[in-house]
Amino acid sequence: MKNNQPYNGLEIAVIGMACRLPGAKNWREYWKNLAGGIESIHRFSKKELEDLGLSEEEINQPNFINASAILENKNLFDASFFDYRPGEAQLMSPVHRVFHECVWEALEDAGYNPEQTRGLIGLYAGGAIDINWMVYTEFMNKVNPEVDEMSLSYINNKDYLSSLVSYKLNLKGPAISLNTACSTSLVALNSACKSLLLGETKMALAGGVSIKTSVQKGYLYQENMIHSSDGHCKAFDKDADGTISGEGVGVVVLKRLSDAINDNDQIYAIIKGSAINNDGRRKVGFTAPSVEGQVECILKAQKFAKVQPDSISYVEAHGTGTKLGDPIEVEALNIAFNRSPAKHCALGSVKSNIGHLDSAAGIAGLIKTVLSLKHQQIPASLHYQEANPSIDFEGGPFYVNTELADWKRTGDSPLRAGVSSFGVGGTNAHVILEEAPLVQQQEDELSRKYKILTISAKTETALLRYMTELSDFLIAGPEVSQADLCYTLQVGRKDFTYRKSLIYQDQEELVQLLNSGLARQSFVKSRERGRSVVFMFPGVGSQYVNMGKDLYAQEAVFRTEMDKGFSELKR
């Protein structure tokens, strides 16, 4: 890699991501939905509602809204992968379950096995409380005891979210669980960044999770409350009257930019700076937002990032679509951006796609913006037709982006964005992002005709699923560096008992092998890595002319050793 911008040493690199959000089981599906302008809100049919136990009278109420942003398969959990007993897993909160899996997926996405990673790894996160599940499991454990009271507490209490995962994955850096309502995950991100800059950790993960275990079946609309009258979040629009609740989880892996560059990590985007604060009493009520508080937070982030507001061309807003919140947020942005008259900064809210994810809302917006920088496109903010008359769009540089747009640089300046998340009670968070540095492509793989790809899993079933998912990824996505792919799967993944190695020449042949019947039937079962491997020729069998010629021509290590041997023979 090489830097294409001057850096001040305070930048943080986003080197890995994982998420499960309404309509998307990973960040690739999430981006596909965002780029396609898809609203991932489930509309319940009458039959679905009846099957959920609603009466005809309840369904026909004029203020009943049959919509919810649902996370699919939240009841599933690979308990044995994390060494939980079936009884423990049944009582474990889905908040903990999906968070365990997303942290692991994020580390794999970054290409790191925590057991073999040098330096401390910290975890900063928060989850929404789920009283329904805590009451349910308390009752169930008394009827059929599976765990002691202390164990029941730490597999359900959100305060153990980070420490429990750190224990299971052997993460030795700070494990901090926090909660600031809707701004939880961006406050966690801010804490993770500061920990990296202070040298407390070499790598840090940050995220948030919100899962509902009560039956999702819509809601009753109440005027001037948080939920909208039609199940849509129309942020900044004149008809906006609230948002819709959703659930999901998101995690990012972070490193100091200088370390990420030196370690040849993939870099999705750069965090130039972040800030948090609280409104105090500068507002009409405890749950209300504050112009002054938001302005101070945004300006503090810009100052820390050492960037001018006119260099920022997109803001992922908190954007709840409420009549009170939207005008206050835009007014705060106008002030923080010096009320620039040039309409240069697009505005959007992912809540128009997936609803309000509570503790995971900020990380969902951040991952959206990171992906926008990666693809250099700004997705549409949905359901915007005409501005809320209380919003002063004329007094600042902002406009609501209503269609997928190419994100173009101005001169030599890099693409930059701001991401906001404001919690009920007044804890505000704002993050400044910048596009990743240019990557200098390596040509190492061109000298090698054949590649060796190795994958492993704890069970045969898991390995087969892994092979299918890898094949689907290669078919659906663009051409990937085969050298990078083989290296990451060998070095950046933990070795498990069941393994498969494939020798191939190009991506097309790899896809064929991944789906071939023979390759999917024969696996190697071995111990997890712990011993050194030695390659040697046994000295028996049939020798032939040009034996080893391809190895000598294509493998530098083999050629060096053979030349060394020939030199010694000549002496």
XYZ file of all heavy atoms in Angstrom, residues 468-557:
716
model
N -19.658 -24.355 -0.203
C -20.772 -23.800 -0.981
C -20.771 -22.281 -0.921
O -20.943 -21.600 -1.941
C -22.112 -24.347 -0.452
O -22.123 -25.771 -0.591
C -23.277 -23.757 -1.226
N -20.566 -21.735 0.282
C -20.567 -20.278 0.442
C -19.401 -19.638 -0.306
O -19.551 -18.564 -0.901
C -20.508 -19.919 1.928
C -21.800 -20.248 2.676
C -21.707 -19.910 4.152
O -20.603 -19.530 4.610
O -22.729 -20.030 4.853
N -18.236 -20.286 -0.288
C -17.087 -19.754 -1.021
C -17.351 -19.768 -2.522
O -17.043 -18.809 -3.241
C -15.836 -20.559 -0.690
C -14.537 -20.120 -1.370
C -14.225 -18.665 -1.074
C -13.368 -21.016 -0.936
N -17.962 -20.844 -3.008
C -18.310 -20.925 -4.425
C -19.303 -19.834 -4.807
O -19.145 -19.153 -5.830
C -18.897 -22.306 -4.735
O -19.388 -22.358 -6.056
N -20.337 -19.652 -3.980
C -21.340 -18.612 -4.247
C -20.701 -17.229 -4.272
O -21.049 -16.374 -5.108
C -22.441 -18.653 -3.187
C -23.297 -19.913 -3.289
O -23.248 -20.585 -4.344
O -24.014 -20.220 -2.321
N -19.768 -16.991 -3.346
C -19.077 -15.704 -3.281
C -18.280 -15.451 -4.567
O -18.322 -14.358 -5.140
C -18.146 -15.680 -2.069
C -17.118 -14.590 -2.102
C -17.471 -13.272 -1.883
C -15.777 -14.874 -2.369
C -16.524 -12.260 -1.922
C -14.828 -13.880 -2.413
C -15.202 -12.565 -2.185
N -17.566 -16.465 -5.029
C -16.739 -16.315 -6.234
C -17.587 -16.130 -7.487
O -17.219 -15.386 -8.395
C -15.825 -17.533 -6.398
C -14.744 -17.707 -5.331
C -14.065 -19.059 -5.463
C -13.722 -16.579 -5.416
N -18.738 -16.797 -7.532
C -19.621 -16.671 -8.695
C -20.296 -15.306 -8.724
O -20.409 -14.667 -9.770
C -20.688 -17.792 -8.682
C -20.018 -19.154 -8.923
C -21.760 -17.538 -9.734
C -20.946 -20.329 -8.717
N -20.743 -14.847 -7.554
C -21.513 -13.598 -7.485
C -20.638 -12.355 -7.587
O -21.051 -11.329 -8.124
C -22.309 -13.548 -6.189
N -19.419 -12.456 -7.072
C -18.588 -11.265 -7.000
C -17.659 -11.106 -8.178
O -17.611 -11.943 -9.081
N -16.873 -10.031 -8.179
C -15.881 -9.812 -9.230
C -14.682 -10.727 -9.023
O -14.565 -11.405 -8.008
C -15.493 -8.344 -9.033
C -15.709 -8.108 -7.564
C -16.901 -8.943 -7.192
N -13.776 -10.745 -9.985
C -12.547 -11.524 -9.874
C -11.771 -11.061 -8.638
O -11.639 -9.863 -8.379
C -11.680 -11.335 -11.117
C -12.184 -12.087 -12.338
C -11.813 -13.569 -12.300
O -10.790 -13.908 -11.672
O -12.557 -14.374 -12.887
N -11.280 -12.016 -7.873
C -10.488 -11.683 -6.697
C -9.068 -12.171 -6.904
O -8.811 -13.064 -7.717
C -11.080 -12.321 -5.418
C -12.492 -11.823 -5.172
C -11.069 -13.844 -5.509
N -8.143 -11.590 -6.161
C -6.755 -12.029 -6.222
C -6.661 -13.431 -5.637
O -6.928 -13.641 -4.450
C -5.864 -11.064 -5.431
O -4.602 -11.641 -5.195
N -6.273 -14.401 -6.467
C -6.189 -15.777 -5.985
C -5.050 -15.949 -4.985
O -5.146 -16.750 -4.048
C -6.015 -16.727 -7.174
C -7.211 -16.756 -8.114
C -8.503 -17.114 -7.384
O -8.580 -18.142 -6.721
N -9.503 -16.266 -7.503
N -3.980 -15.201 -5.158
C -2.874 -15.266 -4.190
C -3.343 -14.783 -2.826
O -3.063 -15.392 -1.793
C -1.694 -14.440 -4.685
N -4.072 -13.658 -2.810
C -4.593 -13.123 -1.550
C -5.590 -14.088 -0.917
O -5.610 -14.283 0.306
C -5.268 -11.770 -1.783
C -4.269 -10.664 -2.083
O -3.052 -10.900 -1.884
O -4.695 -9.579 -2.520
N -6.449 -14.673 -1.753
C -7.461 -15.605 -1.253
C -6.803 -16.800 -0.570
O -7.154 -17.168 0.558
C -8.351 -16.067 -2.406
C -9.465 -17.067 -2.064
C -10.515 -16.412 -1.174
C -10.106 -17.607 -3.340
N -5.848 -17.412 -1.240
C -5.177 -18.590 -0.678
C -4.390 -18.233 0.578
O -4.401 -18.983 1.563
C -4.245 -19.211 -1.717
S -5.111 -19.916 -3.141
N -3.730 -17.097 0.555
C -2.941 -16.671 1.718
C -3.838 -16.442 2.930
O -3.560 -16.921 4.040
C -2.163 -15.400 1.382
C -1.364 -14.857 2.548
C -0.078 -15.335 2.824
C -1.900 -13.877 3.374
C 0.639 -14.850 3.899
C -1.182 -13.383 4.459
C 0.086 -13.865 4.718
O 0.800 -13.382 5.789
N -4.924 -15.703 2.721
C -5.807 -15.374 3.840
C -6.459 -16.617 4.432
O -6.547 -16.760 5.653
C -6.890 -14.380 3.387
O -6.268 -13.188 2.920
C -7.826 -14.027 4.541
N -6.927 -17.518 3.580
C -7.571 -18.726 4.078
C -6.585 -19.637 4.812
O -6.977 -20.398 5.695
C -8.235 -19.487 2.930
C -9.489 -18.831 2.342
C -9.998 -19.617 1.145
C -10.579 -18.695 3.392
N -5.307 -19.541 4.470
C -4.305 -20.372 5.128
C -3.774 -19.714 6.398
O -3.596 -20.367 7.424
C -3.147 -20.645 4.172
C -2.029 -21.496 4.761
C -2.451 -22.924 5.049
O -3.318 -23.443 4.368
N -1.874 -23.533 6.066
N -3.534 -18.411 6.345
C -2.873 -17.716 7.443
C -3.863 -16.968 8.342
O -3.666 -16.876 9.550
C -1.811 -16.736 6.891
C -1.161 -15.940 8.014
C -0.760 -17.489 6.095
N -4.926 -16.429 7.742
C -5.854 -15.598 8.492
C -7.067 -16.326 9.025
O -8.049 -15.692 9.425
N -7.060 -17.637 9.029
C -8.169 -18.431 9.550
C -7.640 -19.450 10.542
O -6.529 -19.969 10.386
C -8.898 -19.184 8.421
C -9.558 -18.304 7.381
C -10.771 -17.588 7.967
N -11.543 -16.924 6.934
C -11.283 -15.707 6.458
N -10.250 -15.043 6.916
N -12.044 -15.180 5.530
N -8.425 -19.756 11.539
C -8.050 -20.788 12.492
C -8.182 -22.158 11.835
O -9.100 -22.404 11.064
C -8.943 -20.710 13.732
C -8.532 -21.656 14.843
C -9.352 -21.434 16.094
C -8.906 -22.385 17.201
N -9.665 -22.174 18.460
N -7.256 -23.052 12.137
C -7.300 -24.405 11.587
C -8.210 -25.287 12.436
O -8.087 -25.323 13.661
C -5.896 -25.031 11.568
C -4.992 -24.349 10.566
O -5.494 -23.953 9.507
O -3.795 -24.195 10.859
N -9.095 -26.011 11.775
C -10.000 -26.911 12.476
C -9.771 -28.348 12.018
O -8.964 -28.628 11.129
C -11.447 -26.484 12.243
C -11.770 -25.145 12.821
C -12.019 -24.056 11.983
C -11.814 -24.957 14.187
C -12.310 -22.810 12.520
C -12.104 -23.709 14.726
C -12.352 -22.633 13.892
N -10.510 -29.264 12.609
C -10.261 -30.697 12.435
C -10.469 -31.178 11.005
O -9.653 -31.921 10.461
C -11.165 -31.493 13.388
O -10.908 -31.051 14.727
C -10.892 -32.986 13.286
N -11.557 -30.793 10.378
C -11.872 -31.274 9.018
C -11.345 -30.273 7.995
O -11.663 -29.075 8.060
C -13.382 -31.469 8.867
C -13.893 -32.635 9.671
C -14.309 -32.461 10.983
C -13.930 -33.926 9.132
C -14.755 -33.529 11.748
C -14.378 -34.999 9.885
C -14.785 -34.798 11.195
O -15.221 -35.862 11.940
N -10.548 -30.770 7.044
C -9.863 -29.876 6.113
C -9.980 -30.369 4.672
O -10.162 -31.558 4.411
C -8.384 -29.774 6.472
C -8.141 -29.339 7.908
C -6.680 -29.217 8.218
N -6.466 -29.034 9.641
C -5.300 -28.893 10.220
N -4.207 -28.922 9.477
N -5.188 -28.730 11.522
N -9.818 -29.412 3.786
C -9.806 -29.722 2.361
C -8.820 -28.789 1.674
O -8.857 -27.572 1.872
C -11.202 -29.536 1.753
C -11.292 -29.956 0.296
C -11.142 -31.460 0.168
C -11.130 -31.916 -1.281
N -11.005 -33.366 -1.390
N -7.944 -29.345 0.872
C -7.002 -28.548 0.077
C -7.263 -28.806 -1.399
O -7.430 -29.956 -1.817
C -5.557 -28.897 0.423
O -5.244 -28.495 1.734
N -7.295 -27.741 -2.178
C -7.567 -27.829 -3.613
C -6.417 -27.192 -4.388
O -5.977 -26.083 -4.053
C -8.883 -27.129 -3.960
C -10.137 -27.663 -3.250
C -11.330 -26.763 -3.549
C -10.430 -29.090 -3.681
N -5.934 -27.872 -5.408
C -4.878 -27.343 -6.278
C -5.528 -26.957 -7.598
O -6.217 -27.765 -8.222
C -3.781 -28.391 -6.512
C -3.157 -28.796 -5.174
C -2.717 -27.846 -7.455
C -2.169 -29.929 -5.284
N -5.319 -25.714 -8.023
C -6.013 -25.215 -9.209
C -5.184 -24.122 -9.885
O -4.186 -23.652 -9.319
C -7.391 -24.681 -8.818
C -7.338 -23.430 -7.967
C -7.547 -22.173 -8.525
C -7.057 -23.501 -6.604
C -7.483 -21.024 -7.749
C -6.997 -22.364 -5.821
C -7.208 -21.125 -6.401
O -7.137 -19.989 -5.638
N -5.641 -23.714 -11.073
C -4.912 -22.697 -11.832
C -5.605 -21.346 -11.854
O -4.953 -20.313 -11.816
C -4.695 -23.182 -13.276
C -3.827 -24.412 -13.385
C -3.494 -24.747 -14.832
O -2.912 -23.930 -15.559
N -3.876 -25.941 -15.269
N -6.940 -21.334 -11.948
C -7.641 -20.052 -12.027
C -8.975 -20.145 -11.282
O -9.368 -21.208 -10.793
C -7.872 -19.632 -13.483
C -8.559 -20.718 -14.307
O -9.455 -21.409 -13.777
O -8.200 -20.900 -15.491
N -9.668 -19.027 -11.197
C -10.906 -18.952 -10.408
C -11.982 -19.872 -10.969
O -12.738 -20.491 -10.210
C -11.413 -17.506 -10.373
C -12.641 -17.310 -9.486
C -12.888 -15.854 -9.168
O -11.989 -15.138 -8.724
N -14.113 -15.390 -9.391
N -12.084 -19.970 -12.265
C -13.091 -20.841 -12.872
C -12.879 -22.297 -12.462
O -13.826 -23.009 -12.114
C -13.033 -20.711 -14.400
C -14.100 -21.543 -15.121
C -14.033 -21.392 -16.625
O -13.221 -20.581 -17.124
O -14.786 -22.094 -17.324
N -11.612 -22.742 -12.467
C -11.321 -24.118 -12.067
C -11.606 -24.320 -10.578
O -12.100 -25.370 -10.165
C -9.861 -24.457 -12.371
C -9.511 -25.918 -12.065
C -8.066 -26.259 -12.378
O -7.298 -25.343 -12.770
O -7.701 -27.443 -12.226
N -11.337 -23.294 -9.772
C -11.605 -23.396 -8.337
C -13.093 -23.593 -8.069
O -13.479 -24.438 -7.256
C -11.090 -22.141 -7.623
C -11.424 -22.037 -6.130
C -10.863 -23.232 -5.361
C -10.891 -20.730 -5.558
N -13.937 -22.822 -8.754
C -15.381 -22.964 -8.579
C -15.838 -24.370 -8.950
O -16.664 -24.981 -8.257
C -16.134 -21.905 -9.414
C -17.639 -22.174 -9.406
C -15.851 -20.506 -8.872
N -15.289 -24.902 -10.042
C -15.637 -26.267 -10.458
C -15.236 -27.287 -9.396
O -16.006 -28.202 -9.072
C -14.957 -26.596 -11.784
C -15.501 -25.807 -12.967
C -14.713 -26.067 -14.245
O -13.667 -26.736 -14.222
N -15.191 -25.528 -15.364
N -14.054 -27.119 -8.827
C -13.586 -28.057 -7.801
C -14.430 -27.967 -6.538
O -14.734 -28.988 -5.906
C -12.124 -27.765 -7.464
C -11.092 -28.166 -8.518
C -9.710 -27.634 -8.140
C -11.043 -29.677 -8.676
N -14.803 -26.755 -6.151
C -15.613 -26.576 -4.945
C -16.967 -27.269 -5.060
O -17.573 -27.653 -4.049
C -15.818 -25.090 -4.655
C -14.599 -24.320 -4.140
C -14.858 -22.819 -4.180
C -14.228 -24.762 -2.722
N -17.444 -27.426 -6.277
C -18.759 -28.036 -6.491
C -18.699 -29.470 -7.016
O -19.744 -30.084 -7.246
C -19.574 -27.173 -7.464
C -19.954 -25.832 -6.855
O -20.774 -25.757 -5.962
N -19.330 -24.768 -7.340
N -17.491 -29.991 -7.191
C -17.377 -31.342 -7.730
C -17.711 -32.383 -6.660
O -17.425 -32.199 -5.478
C -15.968 -31.585 -8.272
O -15.034 -31.637 -7.211
N -18.309 -33.464 -7.089
C -18.719 -34.502 -6.156
C -17.559 -35.109 -5.400
O -17.630 -35.344 -4.188
N -16.436 -35.373 -6.088
C -15.281 -36.002 -5.457
C -14.692 -35.103 -4.373
O -14.371 -35.562 -3.276
C -14.221 -36.321 -6.505
C -12.953 -37.015 -5.983
C -13.314 -38.362 -5.350
C -11.948 -37.207 -7.120
N -14.549 -33.808 -4.682
C -13.963 -32.876 -3.716
C -14.839 -32.741 -2.476
O -14.348 -32.478 -1.379
C -13.760 -31.508 -4.367
N -16.144 -32.918 -2.635
C -17.062 -32.749 -1.517
C -17.276 -34.047 -0.734
O -18.092 -34.096 0.186
C -18.397 -32.210 -2.024
C -18.281 -30.818 -2.657
C -19.608 -30.352 -3.223
N -20.575 -30.081 -2.169
C -20.687 -28.931 -1.524
N -19.866 -27.934 -1.823
N -21.598 -28.760 -0.601
N -16.547 -35.091 -1.102
C -16.704 -36.370 -0.401
C -15.479 -36.730 0.428
O -15.595 -37.387 1.455
C -16.963 -37.491 -1.415
C -18.331 -37.406 -2.086
C -18.491 -38.438 -3.187
O -17.652 -39.312 -3.344
N -19.553 -38.316 -3.967
N -14.313 -36.310 -0.008
C -13.083 -36.714 0.671
C -12.473 -35.555 1.445
O -12.110 -34.530 0.856
C -12.070 -37.232 -0.362
O -11.838 -36.258 -1.356
N -12.400 -35.706 2.762
C -11.812 -34.689 3.616
C -10.668 -35.296 4.421
O -10.594 -36.510 4.621
C -12.846 -34.112 4.598
C -14.048 -33.515 3.927
C -15.327 -33.936 4.268
C -13.907 -32.544 2.961
C -16.439 -33.389 3.654
C -15.002 -31.994 2.342
C -16.274 -32.417 2.683
N -9.795 -34.436 4.888
C -8.733 -34.854 5.788
C -9.161 -34.517 7.206
O -9.601 -33.407 7.485
C -7.401 -34.136 5.454
C -6.347 -34.459 6.510
C -6.922 -34.552 4.075
N -9.057 -35.463 8.091
C -9.363 -35.232 9.496
C -8.060 -35.278 10.268
O -7.345 -36.271 10.245
C -10.317 -36.290 10.035
C -10.762 -36.032 11.476
C -11.753 -37.081 11.967
C -12.181 -36.790 13.392
N -13.136 -37.799 13.918
N -7.732 -34.185 10.929
C -6.447 -34.110 11.625
C -6.578 -33.230 12.853
O -7.607 -32.596 13.082
C -5.368 -33.557 10.692
O -5.712 -32.255 10.262
N -5.521 -33.174 13.615
C -5.503 -32.304 14.776
C -5.431 -30.856 14.334
O -4.974 -30.553 13.242
C -4.281 -32.601 15.652
C -4.273 -33.992 16.248
C -3.001 -34.160 17.064
N -2.898 -35.505 17.628
C -1.870 -35.921 18.355
N -0.856 -35.110 18.586
N -1.855 -37.147 18.834
N -5.881 -29.963 15.239
C -5.703 -28.555 14.937
C -4.208 -28.231 15.012
O -3.432 -28.921 15.673
C -6.499 -27.707 15.932
C -8.001 -27.943 15.786
C -8.828 -27.084 16.712
O -8.271 -26.122 17.275
O -10.021 -27.384 16.874
N -3.822 -27.180 14.316
C -2.400 -26.868 14.149
C -1.685 -26.784 15.500
O -2.182 -26.211 16.437
C -2.248 -25.541 13.413
C -0.796 -25.127 13.236
C -0.692 -23.796 12.554
N -1.095 -23.879 11.164
C -1.106 -22.824 10.354
N -0.768 -21.646 10.798
N -1.492 -22.951 9.101
N -0.528 -27.342 15.563
C 0.256 -27.301 16.791
C 1.665 -27.812 16.560
O 2.544 -27.650 17.390
N 1.868 -28.471 15.406
C 3.185 -29.014 15.102
C 3.697 -28.443 13.780
O 2.925 -28.078 12.910
C 3.112 -30.531 15.005
C 2.691 -31.212 16.315
C 2.697 -32.717 16.179
N 2.315 -33.378 17.413
C 2.250 -34.697 17.569
N 2.553 -35.488 16.539
N 1.890 -35.228 18.708
N 5.017 -28.404 13.647
C 5.628 -27.914 12.414
C 5.425 -28.935 11.297
O 5.300 -30.129 11.541
C 7.114 -27.657 12.620
O 7.304 -26.673 13.615
N 5.401 -28.443 10.075
C 5.244 -29.301 8.901
C 6.540 -29.286 8.107
O 7.137 -28.237 7.878
C 4.073 -28.825 8.017
C 3.959 -29.689 6.770
C 2.765 -28.870 8.805
N 6.996 -30.479 7.678
C 8.212 -30.601 6.873
C 7.848 -31.223 5.533
O 7.164 -32.256 5.484
C 9.258 -31.477 7.583
C 10.476 -31.679 6.689
C 9.672 -30.840 8.908
N 8.270 -30.600 4.438
C 8.079 -31.166 3.102
C 9.390 -31.837 2.676
O 10.462 -31.240 2.805
C 7.701 -30.073 2.099
C 6.354 -29.480 2.331
C 6.203 -28.340 3.103
C 5.213 -30.063 1.787
C 4.955 -27.787 3.330
C 3.964 -29.527 2.007
C 3.835 -28.387 2.783
N 9.292 -33.069 2.185
C 10.507 -33.761 1.789
C 10.198 -34.779 0.699
O 9.055 -35.213 0.541
C 11.127 -34.481 2.991
C 10.222 -35.514 3.638
S 11.011 -36.372 5.030
C 12.289 -37.274 4.195
N 11.251 -35.122 -0.066
C 11.138 -36.196 -1.047
C 11.592 -37.490 -0.371
O 12.682 -37.533 0.207
C 12.004 -35.904 -2.271
C 11.512 -34.749 -3.081
C 12.132 -33.510 -3.014
C 10.409 -34.895 -3.916
C 11.672 -32.442 -3.755
C 9.948 -33.832 -4.664
C 10.570 -32.610 -4.584
N 10.793 -38.532 -0.433
C 11.147 -39.768 0.287
C 12.296 -40.540 -0.352
O 12.856 -41.433 0.278
C 9.844 -40.575 0.226
C 9.145 -40.099 -0.993
C 9.476 -38.630 -1.098
N 12.632 -40.252 -1.601
C 13.753 -40.946 -2.228
C 13.401 -42.292 -2.815
O 14.286 -43.079 -3.148
N 12.142 -42.593 -2.933
C 11.723 -43.857 -3.550
C 10.761 -43.548 -4.686
O 10.249 -42.447 -4.803
C 11.040 -44.789 -2.520
C 12.001 -45.183 -1.414
C 9.811 -44.109 -1.919
N 10.499 -44.520 -5.537
C 9.594 -44.321 -6.645
C 10.359 -44.145 -7.940
O 11.587 -44.244 -7.998
N 9.631 -43.852 -8.990
C 10.232 -43.749 -10.323
C 10.706 -42.334 -10.583
O 9.950 -41.377 -10.428
C 9.197 -44.144 -11.390
O 8.744 -45.465 -11.170
N 11.949 -42.221 -10.968
C 12.470 -40.928 -11.377
C 12.307 -40.786 -12.895
O 12.235 -41.780 -13.613
C 13.951 -40.793 -11.004
C 14.185 -40.514 -9.520
C 13.925 -41.724 -8.645
O 14.336 -42.827 -9.016
N 13.249 -41.534 -7.532
N 12.230 -39.548 -13.349
C 12.061 -39.323 -14.780
C 12.712 -37.996 -15.159
O 12.981 -37.144 -14.305
C 10.574 -39.316 -15.159
C 9.719 -38.390 -14.336
C 9.538 -37.054 -14.722
C 9.094 -38.842 -13.177
C 8.761 -36.202 -13.972
C 8.315 -37.980 -12.426
C 8.151 -36.663 -12.824
O 7.384 -35.802 -12.064
N 12.951 -37.838 -16.456
C 13.596 -36.630 -16.967
C 12.723 -35.410 -16.684
O 11.494 -35.456 -16.843
C 13.850 -36.758 -18.486
C 14.448 -35.468 -19.042
C 14.774 -37.936 -18.761
N 13.360 -34.320 -16.248
C 12.690 -33.055 -15.936
C 11.822 -33.124 -14.672
O 10.968 -32.274 -14.445
C 11.836 -32.556 -17.104
C 12.682 -32.103 -18.268
O 13.815 -31.621 -18.073
N 12.177 -32.256 -19.479
N 12.042 -34.147 -13.878
C 11.315 -34.233 -12.618
C 11.664 -33.012 -11.754
O 12.827 -32.694 -11.539
C 11.717 -35.519 -11.889
C 11.033 -35.720 -10.565
S 11.571 -37.288 -9.833
C 10.659 -37.249 -8.304
N 10.656 -32.290 -11.296
C 10.876 -31.101 -10.468
C 11.119 -29.831 -11.256
O 11.370 -28.770 -10.676
N 11.032 -29.917 -12.588
C 11.327 -28.752 -13.417
C 10.338 -27.614 -13.156
O 10.727 -26.447 -13.034
C 11.305 -29.141 -14.893
C 11.639 -27.987 -15.833
C 11.622 -28.435 -17.283
C 11.930 -27.262 -18.223
N 11.889 -27.694 -19.648
N 9.027 -27.962 -13.084
C 8.013 -26.933 -12.843
C 8.207 -26.271 -11.475
O 8.096 -25.047 -11.339
C 6.604 -27.539 -12.919
C 6.193 -27.842 -14.355
O 6.906 -27.390 -15.272
O 5.163 -28.528 -14.549
N 8.512 -27.099 -10.469
C 8.757 -26.542 -9.144
C 9.953 -25.593 -9.177
O 9.924 -24.502 -8.597
C 9.018 -27.667 -8.136
C 7.806 -28.346 -7.501
C 8.259 -29.526 -6.657
C 7.007 -27.370 -6.658
N 11.000 -25.990 -9.851
C 12.203 -25.174 -9.924
C 11.923 -23.844 -10.626
O 12.426 -22.792 -10.224
C 13.300 -25.936 -10.658
C 14.636 -25.220 -10.675
C 15.514 -25.344 -9.604
C 15.002 -24.419 -11.755
C 16.732 -24.681 -9.606
C 16.215 -23.749 -11.774
C 17.085 -23.885 -10.691
O 18.289 -23.218 -10.696
N 11.100 -23.897 -11.670
C 10.828 -22.691 -12.460
C 9.861 -21.733 -11.753
O 9.957 -20.517 -11.907
C 10.260 -23.094 -13.823
N 8.941 -22.290 -10.962
C 7.842 -21.469 -10.455
C 7.915 -21.154 -8.964
O 7.266 -20.212 -8.511
C 6.507 -22.161 -10.758
C 6.236 -22.328 -12.247
C 4.972 -23.123 -12.519
O 4.101 -23.225 -11.669
N 4.881 -23.693 -13.695
N 8.669 -21.910 -8.201
C 8.709 -21.694 -6.761
C 10.100 -21.221 -6.336
O 11.077 -21.977 -6.370
C 8.340 -22.972 -6.011
C 6.915 -23.430 -6.254
C 5.889 -22.428 -5.739
O 6.206 -21.671 -4.786
O 4.780 -22.396 -6.294
N 10.182 -19.972 -5.924
C 11.471 -19.363 -5.601
C 12.173 -20.067 -4.436
O 13.401 -20.243 -4.446
C 11.276 -17.884 -5.274
N 11.398 -20.466 -3.425
C 12.004 -21.131 -2.263
C 12.621 -22.458 -2.677
O 13.755 -22.795 -2.295
C 10.944 -21.350 -1.155
C 11.542 -22.182 -0.013
C 10.444 -20.012 -0.635
